Amino acid sequence: MAASSVSDSATFQQATLPNGLRIAAEIVPAAYTAAFGYFVRSGARDETDLESGLSHFLEHMVFKGTARRTAAEVNRELDELGGQSNAYTSEEQTVYYGTVLPKYQHRKVELLTDLMRPTLLDADFQTERMVILEEIAKYEDQPPFGAFERSMESRYGLSGLGRRVLGTTESIEAMTPELMRAYFEQRYQPSNMVLAASGNVDFDALVQQATELTADWPTLPVPSKLLYPAPERSPGPLEPLSTKPVDNALAYVVRHANAPNALSDDRIAMRLLSTILGDDGSSRLFWELIDTGRAEAAATWTQEFLDSGLMFLYLSCAPEDVDSNLRLIDEVLERVRRDGVEKDELERAIRKTTAAAIMQSERPGSRLFSVGANWLTRNEYVGLDEIIARYEAVSVDSIQQLIQNYSMETITEVRS
Amino acid sequence: MAASSVSDSATFQQATLPNGLRIAAEIVPAAYTAAFGYFVRSGARDETDLESGLSHFLEHMVFKGTARRTAAEVNRELDELGGQSNAYTSEEQTVYYGTVLPKYQHRKVELLTDLMRPTLLDADFQTERMVILEEIAKYEDQPPFGAFERSMESRYGLSGLGRRVLGTTESIEAMTPELMRAYFEQRYQPSNMVLAASGNVDFDALVQQATELTADWPTLPVPSKLLYPAPERSPGPLEPLSTKPVDNALAYVVRHANAPNALSDDRIAMRLLSTILGDDGSSRLFWELIDTGRAEAAATWTQEFLDSGLMFLYLSCAPEDVDSNLRLIDEVLERVRRDGVEKDELERAIRKTTAAAIMQSERPGSRLFSVGANWLTRNEYVGLDEIIARYEAVSVDSIQQLIQNYSMETITEVRS
């Protein structure tokens, strides 16, 4: 079977440096490329009110220069090494990554590691603040007009997981370079980061280089506890942050139901259930609402945080069809609660999901995210064979059990 | 070197069936996946006035059902086999493609081949016409508001390469199923198509299956001459097709210069020159206009047609900055005409381009387009080693020579 041969050729290696930096690599010697990334446990949920939007703002500032490189030099080198290089910030992580030819491993790791010690100059801070403010304004102008953010606020409150990744106009306007530097010192500790690698990687060289380059990084203790743990339940009716009133051609609805968190074994079965219900290919919602032309979009997916999980439901359709479409969605959910799923559709979902996993494995640049995030979150390595085995172990009965534990009742709803 | 080992593991095989269907495959036994696609020499340039938009409309209809499958069955099977499946239409080609696990080769080829004989029912035609009309309206509402189409009309006139891929509201409204069926009979001849494959492919099985499945396809002669060859020069000042007046926050400019066509060996050097001038990484235009904040976008790229080639220049910026930015662009072009390019920047461009080629090769789904399009256009196979060698053979002197042959003077300009 193709799947076995894929995993057979991959080995996992890991190390922890004296300063606490963890290194995790999935090594596939036959790969044409090597991917590297710093995964930092720093995201919107780690911010205080004053710091709202800081993790993301800091991600921008990381590309503005280091003690050794100007912003222009950073840009030119990233470009010259070829391949995609980029970064993103979420509720729980900030990730900097790139893929290169194996011969550029040393240069790429040197560059990425240097970026992790940005100069954070006042002048750059002021310039970049304008970019962030524009990004916030632009985002608020686009459908579904902040509905996802408001749904998170409604579920988790205004702090922790309810914090907006971009921050707010107010928090970004009030932010200072001093606050950013203090936050950086705290969150970008080696013990709060993973250096992940995948593909055609020279692991010994990687460890040696990282050891040398990060030897003088200061090591302060990082609070291991979450600043704002997710509340069990929504904190109650909230005044949503203001969003611009818009005259929508389409209406948007975002709903949440409870789902397993990132540490729960149930998350695999929940992903399959969500695929059966509402992925954008051939799911129950697709046939009920998209294929029939009733809605522009009708989808479900799961999101797993450290201490909480959600199943999202997203609907976009003509405003006059919202109520009838929500009734149809409720019926779809009711049917699955009552009758469970069919063996056939579960097998199709497993086939589709595992095929996608195998296809993604073809690129070290895709595998990197799994390797890095798993090591950062769980100190766990999950190879492709294991991923496939976990999906294939899900049965009609385990879905039935899951539905008893997670009722898929709507716990928040936002309309836009 | 990684590059050699990549190509060493790939072999090329081809066959032509008695009915004229050509099959071309780049086989990499170690790949996790296999990609397949039908490349049809059918595009906007092959359409008459009445047929404008027909190739693209037909691409939509191909997914609406065959003698063996309803549209829903097509959809469900594409989804079930996993991987990306899709299609696109350009001026010269319509392509249907998908990537699957090797074990699904037989099912995928059967499905794709069946799709190539769509039923083209009247009722589906009427429904899909509305979808196309919406697509045209939506496209015209989006920046840069048809500027690329108008630039093509300005360069090539309203027929041939100047034909809009989507067609016009008028042509789509007037179109009939009979016209589509006649066009389909003519263009979807086996001798006008290539079945391409790449990755972990069983070539013998592929040829045998294709032979059986296409044995009863009618074979009519396909005109080998282009219906509307590209005129040497722009046909003169044209009345551009109407586009909606818009109140733009940003202004858009599209310019053309002459460039090598798809059969010219000079096209490789021209791509590198265009990368140096205006790719979106670290090019001369990037540093002059983007890094300085003068423009939102300022880029160049080449497009190669069978009998004509273009270098596009694209600028988007605040309306009041258009003139000063165009002056800066003219200076950038003038400098390169006078002084050529530097060895350093040429080497960087080669490095970046070949690295990207190697990285793309990691996925059979990416290589498919190169294999299929090269075979359809030139009956030529170009392996990765050869691609790299061609780029590496370009010198500062050959760029100098190129600039003498292609002056990069603006031959059309459209503002939006």
Side-chain angles (χ1 to χ4, degrees):
Chain A
M1 191 184 141
S4 315
S5 72
V6 169
S7 271
D8 284 353
S9 66
T11 55
F12 178 72
Q13 287 201 265
Q14 59 90 11
T16 302
L17 303 190
N19 63 16
L21 179 68
R22 288 175 287 160
I23 305 180
E26 178 179 77
I27 299 157
V28 182
Y32 307 170
T33 59
F36 302 93
Y38 275 99
F39 289 68
V40 190
R41 252 299 289 120
S42 171
R45 77 173 302 172
D46 304 306
E47 299 161 357
T48 63
D49 286 358
L50 280 177
E51 292 164 345
S52 174
L54 188 36
S55 309
H56 170 258
F57 193 164
L58 181 51
E59 175 217 311
H60 279 233
M61 290 294 293
V62 155
F63 294 93
K64 295 296 156 208
T66 70
R68 296 183 204 174
R69 290 172 167 93
T70 64
E73 283 163 350
V74 168
N75 185 312
R76 196 174 278 124
E77 282 185 66
L78 286 172
D79 181 66
E80 186 187 348
L81 294 179
Q84 297 78 32
S85 278
N86 218 328
Y88 69 81
T89 306
S90 70
E91 287 83 357
E92 298 183 336
Q93 295 174 22
T94 309
V95 180
Y96 306 85
Y97 61 94
T99 303
V100 290
L101 299 186
K103 64 181 170 186
Y104 297 136
Q105 168 171 335
H106 193 270
R107 286 186 61 187
K108 183 74 186 184
V109 172
E110 194 277 317
L111 177 55
L112 271 177
T113 307
D114 191 33
L115 290 183
M116 293 301 98
R117 299 294 110 176
T119 35
L120 305 177
L121 297 180
D122 283 15
D124 295 331
F125 181 94
Q126 304 306 343
T127 312
E128 205 58 24
R129 190 209 302 269
M130 305 311 295
V131 175
I132 308 273
L133 288 171
E134 274 174 39
E135 201 176 331
I136 292 173
K138 200 166 153 187
Y139 185 78
E140 288 285 338
D141 276 349
Q142 279 166 357
F145 312 104
F148 287 108
E149 282 65 19
R150 282 191 286 143
S151 78
M152 293 293 278
E153 289 163 1
S154 169
R155 167 65 186 86
Y156 295 112
L158 293 177
S159 59
L161 288 172
R163 193 85 69 191
R164 295 182 173 214
V165 171
L166 295 181
T168 64
T169 304
E170 297 70 31
S171 71
I172 297 299
E173 279 176 350
M175 203 160 281
T176 64
E178 291 72 29
L179 196 66
M180 180 175 283
R181 285 186 207 110
Y183 184 85
F184 169 79
E185 296 297 339
Q186 192 208 0
R187 304 301 310 176
Y188 280 59
Q189 293 299 318
S191 61
N192 207 35
M193 303 164 80
V194 163
L195 168 56
S198 65
N200 191 341
V201 172
D202 181 339
F203 186 72
D204 293 341
L206 177 67
V207 172
Q208 196 192 325
Q209 187 183 14
T211 306
E212 287 163 15
L213 292 175
T214 70
D216 63 347
W217 286 11
T219 55
L220 302 170
V222 181
S224 63
K225 274 195 8 200
L226 290 168
L227 188 59
Y228 306 98
E232 272 287 321
R233 283 166 209 292
S234 163
L238 263 182
E239 197 65 40
L241 291 184
S242 67
T243 51
K244 291 185 192 170
V246 278
D247 180 23
N248 299 350
L250 285 175
Y252 304 89
V253 180
V254 176
R255 281 179 169 183
H256 297 157
N258 280 320
N261 68 31
L263 304 175
S264 161
D265 289 341
D266 285 338
R267 67 190 192 282
I268 305 295
M270 187 53 112
R271 289 182 200 164
L272 288 171
L273 177 56
S274 169
T275 298
I276 291 168
L277 281 173
D279 92 341
D280 56 6
S282 171
S283 62
R284 290 191 180 193
L285 291 184
F286 174 85
W287 292 108
E288 192 74 35
L289 294 166
I290 308 298
D291 187 60
T292 53
R294 289 190 176 110
E296 282 282 307
T300 56
W301 64 89
T302 60
Q303 203 158 349
E304 298 144 10
F305 304 105
L306 287 169
D307 56 348
S308 183
L310 293 176
M311 184 172 83
F312 279 79
L313 180 132
Y314 177 59
L315 169 70
S316 103
C317 63
E320 61 272 25
D321 297 335
V322 166
D323 290 332
S324 60
N325 281 334
L326 286 178
R327 266 197 305 278
L328 287 171
I329 290 172
D330 284 337
E331 285 171 26
V332 166
L333 289 170
E334 191 44 44
R335 217 160 34 238
V336 85
R337 264 185 223 110
R338 196 181 54 225
D339 305 330
V341 300
E342 287 164 33
K343 194 159 188 294
D344 249 25
E345 60 182 349
L346 176 60
E347 279 169 5
R348 270 204 306 275
I350 291 173
R351 217 173 298 151
K352 189 158 72 171
T353 306
T354 52
I358 296 172
M359 290 189 200
Q360 279 171 17
S361 301
E362 225 154 22
R363 302 194 97 156
S366 303
R367 280 293 295 158
L368 182 75
F369 299 105
S370 170
V371 173
N374 277 328
W375 202 250
L376 185 70
T377 309
R378 289 180 285 264
N379 265 316
E380 181 190 44
Y381 168 69
V382 193
L384 184 58
D385 274 349
E386 173 65 20
I387 291 173
I388 292 170
R390 287 183 187 182
Y391 280 105
E392 288 181 343
V394 175
S395 65
V396 168
D397 287 348
S398 41
I399 297 272
Q400 196 63 51
Q401 185 60 48
L402 181 82
I403 293 170
Q404 282 174 25
N405 297 339
Y406 296 89
S407 66
M408 295 178 296
E409 297 294 346
T410 300
I411 56 170
T412 65
E413 178 178 302
V414 167
R415 301 192 185 198
S416 166
Chain B
M1 189 187 145
S4 316
S5 71
V6 170
S7 271
D8 283 355
S9 65
T11 54
F12 178 72
Q13 287 201 265
Q14 58 90 12
T16 302
L17 303 190
N19 63 16
L21 179 68
R22 288 174 287 160
I23 305 180
E26 178 179 80
I27 299 155
V28 182
Y32 307 169
T33 58
F36 302 92
Y38 275 99
F39 290 67
V40 189
R41 253 297 289 117
S42 171
R45 77 173 303 172
D46 303 306
E47 298 161 356
T48 62
D49 286 357
L50 280 176
E51 292 164 347
S52 175
L54 188 37
S55 309
H56 171 258
F57 193 164
L58 181 51
E59 175 216 311
H60 279 233
M61 290 294 293
V62 154
F63 294 92
K64 295 297 154 206
T66 70
R68 296 184 204 173
R69 289 171 167 94
T70 65
E73 283 164 350
V74 168
N75 186 310
R76 197 174 278 125
E77 282 186 63
L78 286 172
D79 181 66
E80 187 188 347
L81 293 178
Q84 298 76 32
S85 277
N86 218 328
Y88 69 81
T89 306
S90 70
E91 287 83 356
E92 298 185 331
Q93 292 173 22
T94 309
V95 180
Y96 305 85
Y97 60 94
T99 302
V100 290
L101 300 185
K103 64 181 168 185
Y104 297 137
Q105 166 172 337
H106 193 270
R107 285 187 62 187
K108 183 74 184 184
V109 172
E110 194 277 319
L111 177 56
L112 273 177
T113 307
D114 191 33
L115 289 182
M116 293 301 99
R117 300 292 110 177
T119 35
L120 306 178
L121 298 180
D122 284 15
D124 296 330
F125 181 94
Q126 305 305 343
T127 313
E128 205 58 24
R129 190 209 303 270
M130 305 311 295
V131 175
I132 308 273
L133 288 171
E134 274 174 37
E135 200 176 333
I136 292 173
K138 201 167 153 188
Y139 185 78
E140 288 285 337
D141 276 348
Q142 279 167 357
F145 311 105
F148 287 107
E149 282 66 20
R150 283 190 286 142
S151 77
M152 292 292 278
E153 288 164 0
S154 169
R155 167 66 186 86
Y156 295 113
L158 295 177
S159 60
L161 288 172
R163 192 85 70 192
R164 295 179 173 216
V165 171
L166 295 181
T168 63
T169 304
E170 297 72 30
S171 71
I172 298 298
E173 279 177 349
M175 201 160 282
T176 63
E178 290 72 30
L179 196 66
M180 178 174 284
R181 285 186 207 112
Y183 183 85
F184 169 80
E185 295 296 338
Q186 192 208 358
R187 304 302 310 179
Y188 281 58
Q189 292 298 317
S191 61
N192 206 37
M193 304 164 80
V194 162
L195 168 56
S198 65
N200 191 343
V201 172
D202 181 339
F203 187 72
D204 293 340
L206 177 66
V207 172
Q208 196 192 327
Q209 187 183 14
T211 306
E212 286 162 14
L213 292 174
T214 69
D216 63 347
W217 285 12
T219 56
L220 301 169
V222 181
S224 63
K225 270 184 30 188
L226 289 167
L227 189 60
Y228 306 98
E232 272 288 321
R233 285 166 208 295
S234 161
L238 264 183
E239 198 66 42
L241 290 186
S242 68
T243 51
K244 291 186 193 169
V246 276
D247 180 25
N248 301 349
L250 286 174
Y252 304 89
V253 180
V254 176
R255 282 178 168 185
H256 297 157
N258 281 318
N261 67 32
L263 304 175
S264 160
D265 289 341
D266 286 338
R267 68 190 192 280
I268 304 296
M270 186 54 112
R271 287 182 201 164
L272 288 170
L273 177 56
S274 169
T275 298
I276 291 168
L277 281 173
D279 92 341
D280 56 6
S282 171
S283 62
R284 291 190 179 194
L285 292 184
F286 174 85
W287 293 108
E288 192 73 36
L289 295 165
I290 308 297
D291 188 59
T292 55
R294 290 191 176 107
E296 282 282 307
T300 56
W301 64 88
T302 60
Q303 203 159 350
E304 299 144 9
F305 304 105
L306 287 169
D307 57 348
S308 182
L310 294 176
M311 185 172 82
F312 279 80
L313 181 133
Y314 178 60
L315 169 71
S316 101
C317 63
E320 61 272 24
D321 297 335
V322 166
D323 290 331
S324 61
N325 281 335
L326 286 179
R327 268 197 303 278
L328 288 171
I329 290 172
D330 284 336
E331 284 170 27
V332 167
L333 289 171
E334 190 44 44
R335 214 156 42 236
V336 85
R337 264 185 224 110
R338 197 181 55 223
D339 305 329
V341 300
E342 286 164 34
K343 196 160 185 297
D344 251 25
E345 60 181 349
L346 177 60
E347 278 169 6
R348 271 205 306 276
I350 291 173
R351 216 172 300 150
K352 189 159 70 171
T353 306
T354 53
I358 295 171
M359 290 187 199
Q360 280 171 16
S361 301
E362 227 154 19
R363 300 195 99 156
S366 303
R367 279 294 293 159
L368 182 75
F369 300 106
S370 170
V371 172
N374 277 327
W375 202 249
L376 186 70
T377 309
R378 290 180 285 265
N379 265 314
E380 182 190 42
Y381 169 68
V382 193
L384 185 58
D385 275 349
E386 173 67 18
I387 291 173
I388 292 170
R390 286 182 187 182
Y391 280 106
E392 288 181 343
V394 175
S395 66
V396 169
D397 287 348
S398 44
I399 297 272
Q400 196 62 52
Q401 185 61 48
L402 182 82
I403 294 170
Q404 282 174 25
N405 296 339
Y406 295 88
S407 64
M408 295 177 297
E409 297 294 348
T410 301
I411 56 170
T412 66
E413 179 179 301
V414 167
R415 300 191 186 198
S416 164

